[in-house]
């Protein structure tokens, strides 16, 4: 028994081969993969549980990847797509689907090729990643904050951290994987620590800004639209009155701003343009299936069927969802209780033009608290795309949102985390 105890103490003191900082999507994938390859792995997480951001992603459902054909997938990256191609080739969306199914997570492919757990529970994805780590022997410590990545010369030799009791400790290790996430949703633990670690070691950090974030408009007539969702609309983003991107789908309104899938996809370019001092606006085609001529004929038909003493609001109600009736009347500067036979041809033309191009000036964007991902991060040309190892510091690897990689909404950003995490973890003992 004494010999057994001595052996246990000896084994406990054996150094780790890999330390992973951050138990998010990228960190857990990296840690589990490194351990599966025979490495002794320590995963350090400053929060009280792993995968907090994963657990709330997709409004609690977790859109974990997108099943689009491989050749189309990287078209949805908004930065450094060429850098990402190698990690994606090693572990693509099909591999991700197989991985989670083997972990016991049944998946469904929904509209837009978005992939969700069949249960509709993001927790199943987070728990599958945690199980992958635990089953492969990863040691995980929570409520532990890394203070510094330790180096000698240009090589990693460990980390300094503060444990849950508040004591500063040091753990020596030849390999560190930095997977601390970005600065979006800071309550989940994404507070930008990794950027400072990388900068302290000589890496360049591309400017950080929110991506996939609500857009703020100065339009005066939208208070009635809180929590309202418009479906099947076409939105065009204009920068300095030039169209730069068009999207089709859903757009919503809330006290945070204009959101929904369409607005989030457009937000990356809108944020960059606003930061650079450009004039930004959205135009919404509320009737994308109808040409102006067909819409004109429909309005004439609706007016013919109405009584002369019916109000303009009733015509709008026949054309639009109820919550839009009053804002549209205000937009047109026509009282909603104007009799229909008093509406002029010029006012009808204004109505048609507005239905086909309702303009919303964009003056700001929601902060990181509401952004899905962070744009910017560690410059990708300072990282080896074939291994995710730093080109400045030997033994330092990067994965996930800490890198200058971000993509459209629809499962692409979590795939970035899984692909880069998997490649960073492909370390042979």
């Amino acid at each position: 028994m004494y010999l057994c105890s001595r052996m246990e103490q000896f084994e406990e003191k054996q150094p780790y081969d890999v330390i992973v900082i951050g138990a998010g999507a990228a960190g857990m994938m990296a840690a589990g993969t490194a351990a599966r390859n025979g490495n002794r792995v320590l995963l350090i997480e400053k929060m009280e549980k792993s995968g907090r951001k994963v657990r709330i992603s997709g409004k609690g459902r977790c859109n974990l990847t997108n099943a689009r054909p491989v050749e189309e997938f990287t078209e949805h990256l908004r930065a450094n797509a060429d850098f990402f191609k190698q990690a994606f080739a090693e572990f693509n969306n099909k591999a991700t689907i197989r991985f989670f199914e083997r972990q016991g997570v049944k998946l469904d492919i929904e509209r837009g090729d978005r992939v969700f757990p069949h249960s509709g529970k993001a927790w199943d994805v987070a728990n599958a990643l945690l199980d992958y780590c635990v089953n492969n022997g990863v040691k995980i410590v929570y409520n532990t904050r890394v203070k510094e990545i330790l180096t000698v010369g240009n090589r990693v030799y460990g980390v300094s951290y503060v444990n849950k009791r508040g004591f500063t400790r040091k753990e020596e290790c030849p390999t560190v994987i930095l997977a601390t996430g970005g600065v979006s949703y800071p309550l989940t633990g994404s507070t930008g620590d990794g950027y400072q670690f990388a900068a302290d070691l000589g890496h360049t950090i591309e400017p950080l800004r929110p991506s996939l974030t609500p857009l703020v408009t100065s339009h005066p007539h939208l208070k009635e639209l809180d929590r309202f969702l418009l479906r099947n609309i076409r939105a065009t983003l204009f920068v300095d009155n030039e169209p730069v991107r068009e999207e089709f789908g859903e757009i919503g309104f809330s006290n945070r701003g204009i959101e929904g899938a369409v607005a989030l996809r457009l937000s990356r370019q809108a944020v960059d343009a606003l930061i650079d001092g450009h004039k930004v606006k959205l135009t919404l085609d509320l009737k994308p299936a109808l040409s102006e001529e067909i819409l004109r004929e429909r309005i004439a038909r609706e007016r013919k069927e109405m009584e002369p003493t019916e109000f303009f609001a009733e015509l709008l109600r026949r054309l639009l969802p109820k919550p839009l009736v009053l804002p549209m009347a205000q937009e047109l500067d026509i009282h909603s209780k104007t009799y229909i036979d008093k509406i002029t041809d010029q006012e009808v033309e204004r109505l048609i033009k507005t239905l086909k191009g309702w303009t919303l000036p964009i003056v700001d964007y929601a902060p990181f608290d509401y952004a899905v991902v962070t744009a910017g991060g560690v410059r990708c040309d300072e990282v080896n795309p074939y291994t995710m190892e730093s080109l400045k510091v030997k033994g330092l690897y990067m994965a996930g949102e800490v890198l200058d990689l971000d993509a459209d909404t629809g499962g692409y950003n979590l795939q970035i985390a899984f692909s880069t995490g998997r490649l960073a973890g492909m370390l042979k003992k």
Side-chain angles (χ1 to χ4, degrees), residues 137-206:
V138 175
K139 180 176 180 180
I140 309 174
V141 291
Y142 298 105
N143 296 304
T144 300
R145 180 176 58 84
V146 172
K147 291 178 61 181
E148 183 183 5
I149 297 174
L150 305 173
T151 59
V152 55
N154 69 335
R155 175 175 287 279
V156 163
Y157 80 88
V159 301
S160 169
Y161 63 89
V162 178
N163 64 21
K164 60 185 177 181
R165 294 184 177 181
F167 296 112
T168 298
R169 295 287 185 263
K170 181 175 73 173
E171 188 70 52
E172 294 188 4
C173 180
T175 303
V176 172
I177 300 176
L178 188 58
T180 47
V183 290
S184 57
Y185 291 144
L187 291 178
T188 65
S190 297
T191 53
D193 307 23
Y195 302 124
Q196 189 61 57
F197 295 147
D200 289 345
L201 296 176
H203 276 280
T204 306
I205 309 301
E206 291 294 331

Side-chain angles (χ1 to χ4, degrees), residues 237-280:
L237 178 69
F238 286 80
V239 176
D240 293 335
N241 292 318
E242 292 293 327
V244 296
R245 185 167 180 176
E246 185 179 281
E247 292 285 346
F248 182 87
E250 299 178 346
I251 201 162
F253 303 86
S254 76
N255 57 9
R256 293 184 292 271
I258 305 169
E259 46 190 24
V262 164
L264 295 186
R265 288 196 293 269
L266 293 172
S267 68
R268 176 65 148 78
Q269 282 174 277
V271 169
D272 286 349
L274 288 167
I275 289 173
D276 291 339
H278 297 290
K279 184 178 179 181
V280 180

Side-chain angles (χ1 to χ4, degrees), residues 78 183-186 208-217 237 251-252 254 256-272 274-275 282 362-375 401 406-409 413:
R78 308 309 302 278
V183 290
S184 57
Y185 291 144
L208 307 178
R209 60 262 192 223
S211 185
L212 306 184
T213 195
L215 298 172
V216 178
T217 180
L237 178 69
I251 201 162
S254 76
R256 293 184 292 271
I258 305 169
E259 46 190 24
V262 164
L264 295 186
R265 288 196 293 269
L266 293 172
S267 68
R268 176 65 148 78
Q269 282 174 277
V271 169
D272 286 349
L274 288 167
I275 289 173
L282 283 182
I362 303 300
V363 296
D364 202 353
Y365 50 88
F368 283 112
D369 300 48
Y370 304 111
V372 177
V373 296
T374 304
E401 206 173 345
D406 65 287
D408 290 335
T409 184
N413 288 288

Side-chain angles (χ1 to χ4, degrees), residues 111 222 225-235 247-254 258-263 265 282-288 319-325 327-328 354-355 358 360:
R111 180 171 50 85
L222 299 185
L225 297 183
D226 187 32
R227 301 186 183 181
F228 176 62
L229 183 68
L230 275 170
R231 293 183 171 86
N232 301 319
I233 58 96
R234 180 175 290 111
E247 292 285 346
F248 182 87
E250 299 178 346
I251 201 162
F253 303 86
S254 76
I258 305 169
E259 46 190 24
V262 164
R265 288 196 293 269
L282 283 182
T283 64
L284 306 185
D285 185 346
L286 303 175
K287 296 292 181 183
L319 298 169
L320 296 166
K322 185 177 179 181
L324 268 182
V325 169
M328 185 58 62
T354 305
L355 290 174
W358 188 25
L360 304 176

Side-chain angles (χ1 to χ4, degrees), residues 77-108:
L77 267 72
R78 308 309 302 278
N80 298 305
D82 288 341
F83 172 87
F84 177 67
K85 284 179 179 178
Q86 185 58 40
F88 191 60
E90 293 290 333
F91 194 75
N92 63 23
N93 48 355
K94 294 180 181 178
T96 295
I97 291 170
R98 289 194 299 270
F99 170 85
F100 282 101
E101 288 179 336
R102 288 171 181 165
Q103 289 293 119
V105 181
K106 186 177 179 181
L107 302 174
D108 291 333

